[in-house]
Amino acid sequence: MEQIFGFKKEDLSSWHSFVALLNRPTDPASLGIFRFLFGLLMAIDVTQERGLSNLDYKYLDGAPVCRFPLFNFLHPLPLDWMYLVYMVMFFGALGIMLGCFYRFSCLMFISTYWYIFFLDKTAWNNHSYLYGLIGFQLTLMDGNRYWSIDGLRRPSIRNAHVPLWNYTVLRTQIFIVYFIAGVKKLDADWVEGYSMSYLAHHWLFDPFKVILPVELVSLLVVHGGGLILDLTAGFLLFFDVTRPYVFFFVTYFHCMNSQLFSIGMFPYTMLATSPLFCYPDWPRRFFAHFPSFLRPVLPLTLPGSQPSPSCVYQESQGTSTQQRLKHKLGAIFTVLYIIEQFFMPYSHFITQGYNNWTNGLYGYSWDMMVHSRTHQHVKITYKDGKTGDIGYLNPGVFTQTRRWKDHGDMLKQYATCLHQFLPRYNISDPEIYFDIWVSINERFQQRIFDPRVDIVRAEWSPFRPNKWLMPLLVDLSPWRTKFQEIEESLDNQTEIVFIADFPGLHLENFVSEDLGNTSIHVLQGQVNVEIVEEKKNYTLQLGEHIKVPAGAYHKVYTVSEDPSCYMYIYVNTTEAALQENFTKLHEIQERVRNGTETEPLPPELQPLIAADDDEGAEVNATDPIVRLFLKRQRRMKEVKKRREAGMLERLQRFAVKKYYTIRRGFLMTAIALRNLAVGLPPLEQLTREVAYANMKEPETEPSQDERLKDEVAHGEL
């Protein structure tokens, strides 16, 4: 047992033995290296995911903005002071990295980190929660005993032992992250391959698609592989025999995640935790292989550590230490913390209805990527409390986030905020209603909130069910197989949307003029379709369908006792015509290139030749279709060039992008700190300074979102 687990059965036989085990002297080397890497990654994270580089856009000093703090009394400080908060967090992370005034640096980091974390629920996720937990753990640990400035200042702690519980807490935390994430993936949607099916189309999975169809890549590699890795990695990292193989797979896994998702430093933080499962003295053996002239700046490589009062020594170790209060407190903290961390992911019976469908405080659950959502229809209606006038708001007005659409607690905060802002626009005592349609894991689009309830006056509590949160229609989940069959039977130009609605409710919808031949087909239940302009009603039973006019409103009432299910089938005629024109232009361009075009091109098509003659130049085209065609071609060439770029070019592009991002963050911070110290300068000077900070890298490539802005028909039905 000692050979496999590192301790004997007798170590658990009594509280005294257990305290001695958890305070057993352990080499500080691995903990010191992790401390350095964690501090470095958090310093980078401050400028990236924490948002230092776009702080002024995030907080919009003085602007009417709806915010979503954990506690409603929390508010951001004035912008210049927020920059100071971020600087305290940044220097705290640097202090952790260097082991300089270690305990004070940890307090600097976690106090500002948790303040910012609680300030904005829309930025919550599992890995941000993990960073805060690790920062809290390191505050209580002896992480500055190895390769630290504190060790140079205080020889008494340099290379001193650390108690075993320092490693126990960190290792168990990472085990929980992996294992609970795996347990959460035992959800039927994940096992059946519905949660993240879109990932299989990513280029990273192209090697698997050589031998497997994309459906099996999704089911076996994305979902099956993710499930097995999460369930087993935490266990297999503990054992010497399996650790090298798991190192390979978790490294590959996290490197893929860094490319698949925009999750900042999380993959690299998880990579930095993996060596914690090795023998604590691994850095000494690793750095011993480096050239001798580097030894002064590298960690210590000599074996052995000096005694520390933080540990309990036995007589067999040449000395004996009596157990003191600090040793018992360390053991108590370890036990209570591990129990709490195993309990928290399953504490949603306390916060009613918070997980899965109507999310809330889910960030401590480790149910990472278990659910994917699409939104088809979002409508915000207000009613003037005095006049009764009804109007509509642009979804997302007064806020910078879209996350409120899925969270009951955020929706309540958003409605309350709108209630406060709308009187400025002569809307008295407004009532606010939300009609939001969501599909989770490829189900029917369905309502998530009751559209008949005024959310401003609706009761809400995190500790009891809320009637205006609509239940997920899980009974309709088997329809997803039928969806796939229906979609496969349609041609490429025909699109489809599946809808489910509750009895007594109706969907009011507008069909864009771009969408031709739009029809409603009933799959279950009974509906009544009202064509608003025609003032006509049509009742549809199972299997019946009706064509609805484009450029007009219609309403679909569910009149059956059970939920109704129906689907919209439509053709985006504008996009289809555009694609047909693009095909013709491409054929003309190919004939010109190979010399088979016998007739001279008309003036509006001459830019097709000019584009070939000078590929790097902007070509003026009078015809809008030709202009859009050339623009798309140019962007496709840019994308191809970026994908085919060599490793050095990619690294250079990455470094330049990060340089300008970090540069802006620190220049704006310098401006803010100067403002706090000596006051605001003249407006002209401030404008010049901000413009200098905003300077972008030359030849900035458009992002994928920007490339889609000019494309036709990427909107909602």
Side-chain angles (χ1 to χ4, degrees):
M1 184 172 179
E2 185 177 16
Q3 184 177 2
I4 296 175
F5 296 106
F7 58 88
K8 302 176 182 178
K9 182 171 59 176
E10 291 75 19
D11 292 328
L12 306 178
S13 60
S14 67
W15 173 248
H16 182 85
S17 300
F18 184 65
V19 172
L21 171 64
L22 288 180
N23 289 276
R24 187 169 67 188
T26 311
D27 196 304
S30 184
L31 180 63
I33 296 300
F34 174 72
R35 180 215 76 232
F36 178 88
L37 294 175
F38 179 76
L40 172 64
L41 293 169
M42 291 304 99
I44 298 172
D45 180 77
V46 169
T47 66
Q48 303 290 309
E49 198 169 1
R50 290 321 110 202
L52 175 63
S53 297
N54 60 349
L55 209 59
D56 48 334
Y57 299 115
K58 184 175 182 178
Y59 290 105
L60 294 174
D61 223 5
V65 177
C66 295
R67 305 191 186 279
F68 304 90
L70 177 61
F71 306 105
N72 288 330
F73 64 82
L74 280 176
H75 300 283
L77 300 172
L79 182 60
D80 288 342
W81 287 98
M82 288 303 298
Y83 274 107
L84 179 61
V85 168
Y86 271 70
M87 272 296 96
V88 172
M89 180 167 57
F90 176 77
F91 282 113
L94 281 184
I96 293 173
M97 179 184 78
L98 299 174
C100 182
F101 299 103
Y102 172 71
R103 209 78 64 184
F104 181 65
S105 295
C106 288
L107 290 174
M108 288 172 59
F109 176 75
I110 64 169
S111 60
T112 50
Y113 184 92
W114 283 104
Y115 167 66
I116 293 168
F117 187 74
F118 288 147
L119 201 59
D120 185 10
K121 284 188 290 190
T122 67
W124 277 34
N125 48 48
N126 287 276
H127 61 265
S128 295
Y129 170 60
L130 177 64
Y131 299 160
L133 292 179
I134 293 177
F136 167 68
Q137 295 166 23
L138 288 177
T139 305
L140 305 179
M141 295 176 181
D142 297 328
N144 61 338
R145 300 306 194 247
Y146 184 79
W147 204 30
S148 68
I149 292 178
D150 286 349
L152 297 177
R153 294 190 305 108
R154 299 167 55 194
S156 61
I157 69 169
R158 188 186 186 195
N159 198 31
H161 285 126
V162 298
L164 178 62
W165 69 262
N166 286 195
Y167 287 99
T168 302
V169 171
L170 283 170
R171 289 168 175 169
T172 307
Q173 181 69 75
I174 303 308
F175 169 83
I176 289 172
V177 173
Y178 281 119
F179 181 66
I180 299 298
V183 173
K184 297 285 185 173
K185 287 181 174 64
L186 292 173
D187 177 83
D189 284 0
W190 184 277
V191 174
E192 295 174 11
Y194 290 110
S195 296
M196 292 286 130
S197 59
Y198 67 90
L199 286 183
H201 297 280
H202 196 279
W203 63 266
L204 280 172
F205 295 96
D206 286 349
F208 300 101
K209 284 180 271 190
V210 174
I211 56 175
L212 293 173
V214 68
E215 294 81 8
L216 286 181
V217 171
S218 174
L219 182 63
L220 300 179
V221 180
V222 176
H223 293 88
L227 172 63
I228 293 172
L229 182 78
D230 281 339
L231 281 176
T232 61
F235 290 101
L236 300 180
L237 281 169
F238 275 103
F239 303 109
D240 295 346
V241 176
T242 56
R243 190 178 301 119
Y245 305 103
V246 182
F247 263 28
F248 171 79
F249 284 109
V250 297
T251 300
Y252 183 71
F253 174 73
H254 291 305
C255 289
M256 287 186 70
N257 282 343
S258 70
Q259 299 299 310
L260 288 170
F261 309 110
S262 298
I263 48 178
M265 295 295 107
F266 178 59
Y268 312 107
T269 303
M270 291 303 292
L271 288 175
T273 65
S274 295
L276 286 171
F277 294 87
C278 299
Y279 289 98
D281 65 342
W282 71 264
R284 301 181 189 275
R285 291 178 276 112
F286 176 76
F287 289 107
H289 294 91
F290 282 67
S292 57
F293 69 88
L294 293 176
R295 297 286 169 82
V297 296
L298 290 177
L300 290 173
T301 57
L302 296 176
S305 302
Q306 63 173 324
S308 167
S310 299
C311 303
V312 174
Y313 294 86
Q314 305 298 327
E315 292 184 2
S316 59
Q317 296 171 302
T319 183
S320 176
T321 303
Q322 185 178 2
Q323 293 183 10
R324 293 185 290 176
L325 178 62
K326 65 183 296 184
H327 302 133
K328 297 175 182 178
L329 289 177
I332 292 172
F333 166 75
T334 301
V335 173
L336 293 180
Y337 182 83
I338 291 174
I339 292 174
E340 179 264 348
Q341 280 297 300
F342 272 108
F343 169 75
M344 285 292 282
Y346 296 96
S347 63
H348 296 295
F349 65 92
I350 299 174
T351 54
Q352 294 289 323
Y354 260 44
N355 229 14
N356 299 335
W357 176 232
T358 51
N359 287 309
L361 303 179
Y362 69 100
Y364 50 77
S365 300
W366 312 119
D367 48 351
M368 295 177 279
M369 313 307 296
V370 178
H371 305 109
S372 60
R373 296 166 180 262
T374 59
H375 298 80
Q376 190 67 33
H377 185 84
V378 179
K379 183 173 73 173
I380 306 177
T381 306
Y382 69 83
K383 181 179 179 182
D384 192 300
K386 290 185 178 179
T387 66
D389 292 340
I390 293 176
Y392 303 95
L393 299 177
N394 181 28
V397 66
F398 297 123
T399 184
Q400 299 172 301
T401 179
R402 302 177 181 179
R403 213 164 181 180
W404 54 268
K405 294 187 292 187
D406 297 320
H407 301 255
D409 56 332
M410 293 189 200
L411 196 81
K412 178 66 177 178
Q413 289 176 304
Y414 189 37
T416 304
C417 178
L418 292 175
H419 180 78
Q420 296 171 351
F421 284 154
L422 289 181
R424 303 182 186 182
Y425 302 90
N426 299 321
I427 303 170
S428 304
D429 194 22
E431 302 171 7
I432 309 293
Y433 302 87
F434 295 89
D435 193 11
I436 301 173
W437 294 73
V438 183
S439 169
I440 183 172
N441 295 343
E442 301 185 18
R443 287 179 173 84
F444 282 100
Q445 291 278 342
Q446 69 154 91
R447 285 186 166 97
I448 188 170
F449 308 111
D450 193 331
R452 300 165 295 188
V453 175
D454 172 20
I455 305 300
V456 175
R457 292 163 182 82
E459 293 185 0
W460 178 84
S461 170
F463 304 112
R464 62 175 182 268
N466 298 280
K467 296 180 180 179
W468 48 275
L469 300 178
M470 307 296 281
L472 177 63
L473 296 172
V474 291
D475 294 342
L476 301 176
S477 298
W479 271 97
R480 289 179 292 193
T481 304
K482 186 67 175 177
F483 296 167
Q484 295 174 352
E485 296 176 2
I486 295 174
E487 288 174 337
E488 290 172 359
S489 67
L490 302 175
D491 58 55
N492 293 333
Q493 294 183 342
T494 304
E495 299 185 44
I496 193 167
V497 177
F498 297 95
I499 304 290
D501 203 4
F502 296 90
L505 296 180
H506 73 275
L507 167 65
E508 182 180 12
N509 206 355
F510 177 82
V511 178
S512 169
E513 294 179 351
D514 292 329
L515 308 181
N517 196 27
T518 301
S519 58
I520 299 173
H521 298 246
V522 179
L523 303 174
Q524 179 177 304
Q526 183 178 343
V527 301
N528 192 336
V529 180
E530 176 189 354
I531 309 300
V532 177
E533 285 187 355
E534 299 177 5
K535 297 182 180 180
K536 292 183 179 180
N537 292 278
Y538 304 88
T539 301
L540 301 181
Q541 306 283 349
L542 172 65
E544 297 180 341
H545 67 276
I546 185 176
K547 186 175 180 179
V548 291
Y553 280 94
H554 66 270
K555 299 178 181 179
V556 184
Y557 297 84
T558 297
V559 295
S560 55
E561 294 182 358
D562 298 322
S564 67
C565 306
Y566 51 94
M567 61 182 176
Y568 282 92
I569 298 180
Y570 60 96
V571 176
N572 192 320
T573 52
T574 302
E575 184 176 26
L578 186 64
Q579 292 297 337
E580 184 178 353
N581 286 326
F582 280 1
T583 301
K584 292 179 180 178
L585 291 174
H586 182 71
E587 291 174 353
I588 293 172
Q589 196 176 52
E590 286 298 313
R591 290 199 299 269
V592 171
R593 285 172 179 169
N594 58 33
T596 58
E597 180 64 41
T598 57
E599 298 182 4
L601 296 182
E604 63 270 17
L605 298 183
Q606 290 294 329
L608 295 175
I609 303 175
D612 275 350
D613 293 339
D614 194 353
E615 294 185 2
E618 290 281 346
V619 178
N620 293 322
T622 56
D623 187 287
I625 302 298
V626 175
R627 185 165 59 248
L628 189 57
F629 171 75
L630 295 175
K631 196 171 187 179
R632 175 180 284 193
Q633 273 199 328
R634 187 164 58 251
R635 288 173 175 174
M636 290 173 63
K637 290 177 182 177
E638 291 171 356
V639 171
K640 182 179 179 181
K641 180 181 177 182
R642 289 168 67 88
R643 286 182 177 176
E644 295 177 351
M647 183 60 67
L648 289 178
E649 185 178 346
R650 287 171 180 258
L651 288 174
Q652 181 185 10
R653 191 165 60 223
F654 174 82
V656 169
K657 181 179 179 181
K658 293 303 179 185
Y659 164 75
Y660 280 95
T661 300
I662 296 171
R663 172 186 179 276
R664 185 183 193 278
F666 284 107
L667 287 177
M668 293 296 292
T669 301
I671 294 171
L673 297 182
R674 188 275 317 279
N675 294 344
L676 290 175
V678 301
L680 284 170
L683 182 59
E684 295 79 5
Q685 178 184 340
L686 188 61
T687 303
R688 290 195 304 270
E689 292 172 346
V690 173
Y692 180 70
N694 287 337
M695 186 173 64
K696 300 289 180 67
E697 64 268 31
E699 299 180 5
T700 303
E701 300 280 2
S703 67
Q704 183 176 0
D705 292 337
E706 290 171 339
R707 290 195 295 270
L708 290 176
K709 284 181 180 177
D710 296 323
E711 304 294 336
V712 178
H714 287 277
E716 297 178 346
L717 173 65

mmCIF file of all heavy atoms in Angstrom, residues 689-715:
data_model
loop_
_atom_site.group_PDB
_atom_site.id
_atom_site.type_symbol
_atom_site.label_atom_id
_atom_site.label_comp_id
_atom_site.label_asym_id
_atom_site.label_seq_id
_atom_site.Cartn_x
_atom_site.Cartn_y
_atom_site.Cartn_z
ATOM 1 N N GLU A 689 -3.379 60.658 -26.001
ATOM 2 C CA GLU A 689 -2.824 59.526 -25.255
ATOM 3 C C GLU A 689 -3.619 58.246 -25.510
ATOM 4 O O GLU A 689 -3.040 57.173 -25.717
ATOM 5 C CB GLU A 689 -2.817 59.853 -23.760
ATOM 6 C CG GLU A 689 -1.830 60.952 -23.382
ATOM 7 C CD GLU A 689 -1.981 61.387 -21.938
ATOM 8 O OE1 GLU A 689 -3.004 61.035 -21.302
ATOM 9 O OE2 GLU A 689 -1.084 62.083 -21.436
ATOM 10 N N VAL A 690 -4.950 58.350 -25.497
ATOM 11 C CA VAL A 690 -5.784 57.168 -25.738
ATOM 12 C C VAL A 690 -5.617 56.682 -27.178
ATOM 13 O O VAL A 690 -5.567 55.476 -27.439
ATOM 14 C CB VAL A 690 -7.260 57.479 -25.417
ATOM 15 C CG1 VAL A 690 -8.155 56.311 -25.823
ATOM 16 C CG2 VAL A 690 -7.426 57.792 -23.942
ATOM 17 N N ALA A 691 -5.499 57.633 -28.133
ATOM 18 C CA ALA A 691 -5.294 57.243 -29.531
ATOM 19 C C ALA A 691 -3.965 56.502 -29.692
ATOM 20 O O ALA A 691 -3.869 55.525 -30.448
ATOM 21 C CB ALA A 691 -5.327 58.473 -30.427
ATOM 22 N N TYR A 692 -2.948 56.933 -28.977
ATOM 23 C CA TYR A 692 -1.652 56.250 -29.034
ATOM 24 C C TYR A 692 -1.762 54.844 -28.439
ATOM 25 O O TYR A 692 -1.200 53.884 -28.972
ATOM 26 C CB TYR A 692 -0.607 57.065 -28.274
ATOM 27 C CG TYR A 692 0.770 56.442 -28.261
ATOM 28 C CD1 TYR A 692 1.545 56.384 -29.415
ATOM 29 C CD2 TYR A 692 1.288 55.899 -27.084
ATOM 30 C CE1 TYR A 692 2.813 55.801 -29.397
ATOM 31 C CE2 TYR A 692 2.548 55.317 -27.061
ATOM 32 C CZ TYR A 692 3.306 55.274 -28.224
ATOM 33 O OH TYR A 692 4.547 54.687 -28.200
ATOM 34 N N ALA A 693 -2.506 54.725 -27.338
ATOM 35 C CA ALA A 693 -2.693 53.410 -26.725
ATOM 36 C C ALA A 693 -3.494 52.481 -27.625
ATOM 37 O O ALA A 693 -3.293 51.263 -27.624
ATOM 38 C CB ALA A 693 -3.389 53.550 -25.374
ATOM 39 N N ASN A 694 -4.391 53.056 -28.431
ATOM 40 C CA ASN A 694 -5.253 52.256 -29.305
ATOM 41 C C ASN A 694 -4.578 51.835 -30.606
ATOM 42 O O ASN A 694 -5.201 51.150 -31.420
ATOM 43 C CB ASN A 694 -6.527 53.037 -29.661
ATOM 44 C CG ASN A 694 -7.482 53.117 -28.489
ATOM 45 O OD1 ASN A 694 -7.438 52.297 -27.583
ATOM 46 N ND2 ASN A 694 -8.340 54.120 -28.489
ATOM 47 N N MET A 695 -3.350 52.224 -30.805
ATOM 48 C CA MET A 695 -2.671 51.906 -32.052
ATOM 49 C C MET A 695 -2.662 50.400 -32.279
ATOM 50 O O MET A 695 -2.315 49.619 -31.401
ATOM 51 C CB MET A 695 -1.238 52.442 -32.025
ATOM 52 C CG MET A 695 -0.487 52.274 -33.349
ATOM 53 S SD MET A 695 1.112 53.111 -33.321
ATOM 54 C CE MET A 695 1.962 52.197 -32.037
ATOM 55 N N LYS A 696 -3.071 49.986 -33.485
ATOM 56 C CA LYS A 696 -3.177 48.568 -33.817
ATOM 57 C C LYS A 696 -1.972 48.133 -34.640
ATOM 58 O O LYS A 696 -1.259 48.941 -35.224
ATOM 59 C CB LYS A 696 -4.460 48.304 -34.614
ATOM 60 C CG LYS A 696 -5.732 48.666 -33.864
ATOM 61 C CD LYS A 696 -5.989 47.687 -32.735
ATOM 62 C CE LYS A 696 -7.255 48.027 -31.988
ATOM 63 N NZ LYS A 696 -8.466 47.838 -32.794
ATOM 64 N N GLU A 697 -1.811 46.814 -34.688
ATOM 65 C CA GLU A 697 -0.729 46.268 -35.492
ATOM 66 C C GLU A 697 -0.988 46.520 -36.970
ATOM 67 O O GLU A 697 -2.152 46.586 -37.392
ATOM 68 C CB GLU A 697 -0.568 44.766 -35.240
ATOM 69 C CG GLU A 697 -1.747 43.919 -35.639
ATOM 70 C CD GLU A 697 -2.728 43.707 -34.502
ATOM 71 O OE1 GLU A 697 -2.837 44.623 -33.649
ATOM 72 O OE2 GLU A 697 -3.397 42.674 -34.484
ATOM 73 N N PRO A 698 0.028 46.695 -37.792
ATOM 74 C CA PRO A 698 -0.171 46.940 -39.218
ATOM 75 C C PRO A 698 -0.795 45.736 -39.901
ATOM 76 O O PRO A 698 -0.583 44.593 -39.499
ATOM 77 C CB PRO A 698 1.245 47.198 -39.742
ATOM 78 C CG PRO A 698 2.144 46.541 -38.748
ATOM 79 C CD PRO A 698 1.451 46.664 -37.425
ATOM 80 N N GLU A 699 -1.580 46.020 -40.944
ATOM 81 C CA GLU A 699 -2.203 44.981 -41.770
ATOM 82 C C GLU A 699 -2.994 44.011 -40.917
ATOM 83 O O GLU A 699 -2.845 42.793 -40.987
ATOM 84 C CB GLU A 699 -1.146 44.223 -42.577
ATOM 85 C CG GLU A 699 -0.366 45.101 -43.536
ATOM 86 C CD GLU A 699 0.662 44.307 -44.317
ATOM 87 O OE1 GLU A 699 0.692 43.078 -44.177
ATOM 88 O OE2 GLU A 699 1.430 44.916 -45.075
ATOM 89 N N THR A 700 -3.862 44.581 -40.054
ATOM 90 C CA THR A 700 -4.691 43.745 -39.197
ATOM 91 C C THR A 700 -5.619 42.897 -40.034
ATOM 92 O O THR A 700 -6.329 43.392 -40.898
ATOM 93 C CB THR A 700 -5.520 44.619 -38.241
ATOM 94 O OG1 THR A 700 -4.634 45.432 -37.486
ATOM 95 C CG2 THR A 700 -6.354 43.745 -37.311
ATOM 96 N N GLU A 701 -5.609 41.595 -39.777
ATOM 97 C CA GLU A 701 -6.472 40.685 -40.513
ATOM 98 C C GLU A 701 -7.879 40.741 -39.930
ATOM 99 O O GLU A 701 -8.054 40.836 -38.717
ATOM 100 C CB GLU A 701 -5.940 39.242 -40.394
ATOM 101 C CG GLU A 701 -4.540 39.072 -40.937
ATOM 102 C CD GLU A 701 -4.522 38.954 -42.438
ATOM 103 O OE1 GLU A 701 -5.594 39.040 -43.038
ATOM 104 O OE2 GLU A 701 -3.437 38.781 -43.006
ATOM 105 N N PRO A 702 -8.919 40.659 -40.735
ATOM 106 C CA PRO A 702 -10.259 40.635 -40.188
ATOM 107 C C PRO A 702 -10.536 39.328 -39.467
ATOM 108 O O PRO A 702 -10.028 38.280 -39.851
ATOM 109 C CB PRO A 702 -11.148 40.764 -41.438
ATOM 110 C CG PRO A 702 -10.321 40.217 -42.548
ATOM 111 C CD PRO A 702 -8.902 40.570 -42.213
ATOM 112 N N SER A 703 -11.297 39.432 -38.382
ATOM 113 C CA SER A 703 -11.656 38.220 -37.649
ATOM 114 C C SER A 703 -12.730 37.458 -38.402
ATOM 115 O O SER A 703 -13.305 37.945 -39.368
ATOM 116 C CB SER A 703 -12.183 38.594 -36.260
ATOM 117 O OG SER A 703 -13.411 39.286 -36.389
ATOM 118 N N GLN A 704 -12.993 36.263 -37.916
ATOM 119 C CA GLN A 704 -14.008 35.452 -38.583
ATOM 120 C C GLN A 704 -15.367 36.128 -38.500
ATOM 121 O O GLN A 704 -16.138 36.100 -39.451
ATOM 122 C CB GLN A 704 -14.078 34.067 -37.933
ATOM 123 C CG GLN A 704 -15.060 33.130 -38.631
ATOM 124 C CD GLN A 704 -15.033 31.736 -38.038
ATOM 125 O OE1 GLN A 704 -14.294 31.470 -37.120
ATOM 126 N NE2 GLN A 704 -15.835 30.868 -38.571
ATOM 127 N N ASP A 705 -15.679 36.748 -37.358
ATOM 128 C CA ASP A 705 -16.957 37.439 -37.229
ATOM 129 C C ASP A 705 -17.065 38.577 -38.232
ATOM 130 O O ASP A 705 -18.104 38.800 -38.844
ATOM 131 C CB ASP A 705 -17.124 37.983 -35.809
ATOM 132 C CG ASP A 705 -17.288 36.857 -34.802
ATOM 133 O OD1 ASP A 705 -17.696 35.761 -35.226
ATOM 134 O OD2 ASP A 705 -17.013 37.074 -33.619
ATOM 135 N N GLU A 706 -15.964 39.314 -38.420
ATOM 136 C CA GLU A 706 -15.980 40.419 -39.371
ATOM 137 C C GLU A 706 -16.144 39.911 -40.793
ATOM 138 O O GLU A 706 -16.777 40.546 -41.623
ATOM 139 C CB GLU A 706 -14.677 41.225 -39.245
ATOM 140 C CG GLU A 706 -14.594 42.007 -37.934
ATOM 141 C CD GLU A 706 -13.218 42.613 -37.740
ATOM 142 O OE1 GLU A 706 -12.276 42.105 -38.378
ATOM 143 O OE2 GLU A 706 -13.093 43.556 -36.965
ATOM 144 N N ARG A 707 -15.565 38.722 -41.079
ATOM 145 C CA ARG A 707 -15.696 38.188 -42.429
ATOM 146 C C ARG A 707 -17.142 37.838 -42.750
ATOM 147 O O ARG A 707 -17.540 37.812 -43.916
ATOM 148 C CB ARG A 707 -14.813 36.942 -42.592
ATOM 149 C CG ARG A 707 -13.344 37.252 -42.603
ATOM 150 C CD ARG A 707 -12.568 36.063 -43.131
ATOM 151 N NE ARG A 707 -12.662 34.918 -42.258
ATOM 152 C CZ ARG A 707 -11.803 34.675 -41.259
ATOM 153 N NH1 ARG A 707 -10.839 35.526 -41.000
ATOM 154 N NH2 ARG A 707 -11.922 33.593 -40.516
ATOM 155 N N LEU A 708 -17.927 37.555 -41.714
ATOM 156 C CA LEU A 708 -19.307 37.162 -41.955
ATOM 157 C C LEU A 708 -20.270 38.351 -42.012
ATOM 158 O O LEU A 708 -21.413 38.190 -42.378
ATOM 159 C CB LEU A 708 -19.772 36.208 -40.845
ATOM 160 C CG LEU A 708 -19.144 34.810 -40.861
ATOM 161 C CD1 LEU A 708 -19.613 34.023 -39.649
ATOM 162 C CD2 LEU A 708 -19.515 34.069 -42.129
ATOM 163 N N LYS A 709 -19.801 39.522 -41.659
ATOM 164 C CA LYS A 709 -20.708 40.658 -41.586
ATOM 165 C C LYS A 709 -21.347 40.990 -42.918
ATOM 166 O O LYS A 709 -22.510 41.374 -42.991
ATOM 167 C CB LYS A 709 -19.962 41.897 -41.049
ATOM 168 C CG LYS A 709 -19.727 41.837 -39.538
ATOM 169 C CD LYS A 709 -19.024 43.085 -39.054
ATOM 170 C CE LYS A 709 -18.784 43.038 -37.561
ATOM 171 N NZ LYS A 709 -18.047 44.212 -37.072
ATOM 172 N N ASP A 710 -20.590 40.863 -43.992
ATOM 173 C CA ASP A 710 -21.116 41.231 -45.297
ATOM 174 C C ASP A 710 -21.791 40.068 -46.001
ATOM 175 O O ASP A 710 -22.299 40.225 -47.104
ATOM 176 C CB ASP A 710 -19.980 41.768 -46.188
ATOM 177 C CG ASP A 710 -19.393 43.037 -45.615
ATOM 178 O OD1 ASP A 710 -20.173 43.836 -45.068
ATOM 179 O OD2 ASP A 710 -18.175 43.210 -45.705
ATOM 180 N N GLU A 711 -21.752 38.888 -45.389
ATOM 181 C CA GLU A 711 -22.392 37.755 -46.026
ATOM 182 C C GLU A 711 -23.901 37.841 -45.827
ATOM 183 O O GLU A 711 -24.400 38.408 -44.868
ATOM 184 C CB GLU A 711 -21.863 36.438 -45.435
ATOM 185 C CG GLU A 711 -20.349 36.306 -45.538
ATOM 186 C CD GLU A 711 -19.878 36.214 -46.975
ATOM 187 O OE1 GLU A 711 -20.670 35.816 -47.821
ATOM 188 O OE2 GLU A 711 -18.717 36.553 -47.240
ATOM 189 N N VAL A 712 -24.638 37.246 -46.720
ATOM 190 C CA VAL A 712 -26.087 37.336 -46.689
ATOM 191 C C VAL A 712 -26.659 36.145 -45.940
ATOM 192 O O VAL A 712 -26.155 35.040 -46.010
ATOM 193 C CB VAL A 712 -26.639 37.363 -48.133
ATOM 194 C CG1 VAL A 712 -28.155 37.401 -48.139
ATOM 195 C CG2 VAL A 712 -26.064 38.558 -48.870
ATOM 196 N N ALA A 713 -27.762 36.411 -45.191
ATOM 197 C CA ALA A 713 -28.592 35.361 -44.611
ATOM 198 C C ALA A 713 -27.907 34.570 -43.517
ATOM 199 O O ALA A 713 -27.889 33.361 -43.523
ATOM 200 C CB ALA A 713 -29.087 34.415 -45.694
ATOM 201 N N HIS A 714 -27.310 35.269 -42.551
ATOM 202 C CA HIS A 714 -26.825 34.595 -41.356
ATOM 203 C C HIS A 714 -27.660 35.015 -40.153
ATOM 204 O O HIS A 714 -27.239 34.865 -39.025
ATOM 205 C CB HIS A 714 -25.342 34.916 -41.106
ATOM 206 C CG HIS A 714 -24.434 34.236 -42.066
ATOM 207 N ND1 HIS A 714 -24.012 32.941 -41.914
ATOM 208 C CD2 HIS A 714 -23.887 34.656 -43.233
ATOM 209 C CE1 HIS A 714 -23.222 32.591 -42.904
ATOM 210 N NE2 HIS A 714 -23.128 33.615 -43.719
ATOM 211 N N GLY A 715 -28.844 35.545 -40.388
ATOM 212 C CA GLY A 715 -29.674 36.018 -39.293
ATOM 213 C C GLY A 715 -30.647 34.978 -38.811
ATOM 214 O O GLY A 715 -30.594 33.808 -39.181
#
